[in-house]
Amino acid sequence: MSTTRRLGPLVLALAVAAVASFDAAAVAQPSHESGQQSDHRRLRILVTNDDGWIGPGGSSTPLIAALRDALVADGHQVTVVAPATNQSGTGTLITYPTVNLANPEPGVWTVTGTPSDAVIVGLDALFRSEPPDLVVSGINPGGNYSSIVNHSGTVGAATMALENDVPAIAVSIDGKTREQSVALKDQVAEYTSDVVAALARRARDGAVLPAGLGLNINYPGTAAARGTSLTHVDPNSYLRFGFTNTTGAPGQPGTYALTLGGPTGTPEPGSDWSALQADKVSITPIDADLSANPRDVARVQFLERVAP
């Protein structure tokens, strides 16, 4: 996943300008009232997630519903296109050859596939005549920072939108438990709506983000966030593999169970993990371009001289 360290100065400056005004006070006390905001453009938004629209008991999952409701209350036209079942950790996986599309309630569509499938089907089947102004993926109950962004279905959906030239935002809450994340759902939904409003105000009638640019938002697992920081992806590995053979000795054939843990070591200054450790909201500009930093490319430029 590309990070701020690979983005051009102009693109990063535009991203900084778009979100620089957010602070803890704005998060704690959102400035708009339901349906009353009139100082920003109304957007056509596709909302998705990786946890599925239908949760246990057959009802909508609480976090995506809170996100949808906050955006609708702010005057946006929202269409939900989400996986029919939990698809966490699927990254940008797509299903081949077929998926089914259902319409369980007005404005809500479900796909028997991954978050990336939901975005592709939504863009092709529901927004074919005109793409949405924005795709918002989330809210995920758990952080998506450091190297886990490469495997996150939440971020994967945003990446798929960027691949199709649609601006995108991924939103996650770094709660220590699912219950802690769910408790913050309304606050984070309002924060996300404020971010969208700020982008829409600056965009006027143009694209809400520069071409190819998305945002990965991680909200700390606290109700008292201490501001917002623009960040890059922390280089520490999020995944701490712990395979355990459940039927025999390690290193032998059998059934292995994988346990995962968060990053270890010291957060790099300016990174997403560093911001979360300081109870700040992390906003990391991302793109779908896996090209390396030009400075790194220069280190292997000698390969052009290798004879085929």
Side-chain angles (χ1 to χ4, degrees), residues 11-12 21 27 31 40 48 50 52 71 102 146 153 162 189-190 194 202 207 217 258 268 298 304:
V11 171
L12 183 54
S21 62
V27 176
S31 59
H40 70 84
T48 191
D50 72 352
L71 293 169
S146 186
L162 295 176
E190 293 288 358
D194 284 344
R202 298 191 68 88
I217 299 176
L258 172 62
E268 184 173 273
E304 293 181 333

Side-chain angles (χ1 to χ4, degrees), residues 22-109:
F22 296 117
D23 55 26
V27 176
Q29 298 179 342
S31 59
H32 63 269
E33 297 179 2
S34 177
Q36 299 300 311
Q37 188 137 305
S38 60
D39 59 348
H40 70 84
R41 171 177 152 212
R42 312 305 182 185
L43 303 178
R44 297 166 65 249
I45 300 175
L46 187 161
V47 166
T48 191
N49 71 353
D50 72 352
D51 294 302
W53 172 253
I54 304 299
S59 60
S60 60
T61 56
L63 286 91
I64 188 174
L67 175 61
R68 185 270 310 267
D69 293 347
L71 293 169
V72 168
D74 217 11
H76 302 295
Q77 180 182 335
V78 177
T79 302
V80 173
V81 189
T85 59
N86 191 317
Q87 297 289 317
S88 296
T90 52
T92 55
L93 179 69
I94 57 176
T95 302
Y96 181 85
T98 61
V99 296
N100 296 323
L101 179 66
N103 184 203
E105 58 185 84
V108 175
W109 298 80

Side-chain angles (χ1 to χ4, degrees), residues 216-244:
N216 182 30
I217 299 176
N218 279 281
Y219 200 97
T222 175
R226 299 179 178 178
T228 295
S229 293
L230 278 173
T231 58
H232 61 262
V233 176
D234 191 90
N236 288 282
S237 176
Y238 188 96
L239 301 177
R240 289 185 282 121
F241 295 106
F243 280 102
T244 303

Side-chain angles (χ1 to χ4, degrees), residues 100-188:
N100 296 323
L101 179 66
N103 184 203
E105 58 185 84
V108 175
W109 298 80
T110 59
V111 173
T112 56
T114 67
S116 290
D117 292 329
V119 171
I120 294 170
V121 171
L123 295 180
D124 191 56
L126 305 176
F127 289 91
R128 177 174 291 187
S129 61
E130 183 182 1
D133 298 302
L134 182 68
V135 168
V136 183
S137 178
I139 302 169
N140 191 71
N144 279 307
Y145 57 94
S146 186
S147 62
I148 199 67
V149 300
N150 295 314
H151 314 287
S152 161
T154 304
V155 180
T159 302
M160 184 57 65
L162 295 176
E163 283 187 12
N164 287 275
D165 302 319
V166 178
I169 298 174
V171 186
S172 305
I173 304 174
D174 190 34
K176 299 300 182 281
T177 64
R178 182 181 180 90
E179 291 71 25
Q180 187 180 26
S181 295
V182 171
L184 293 170
K185 68 181 188 304
D186 293 327
Q187 181 168 316
V188 177

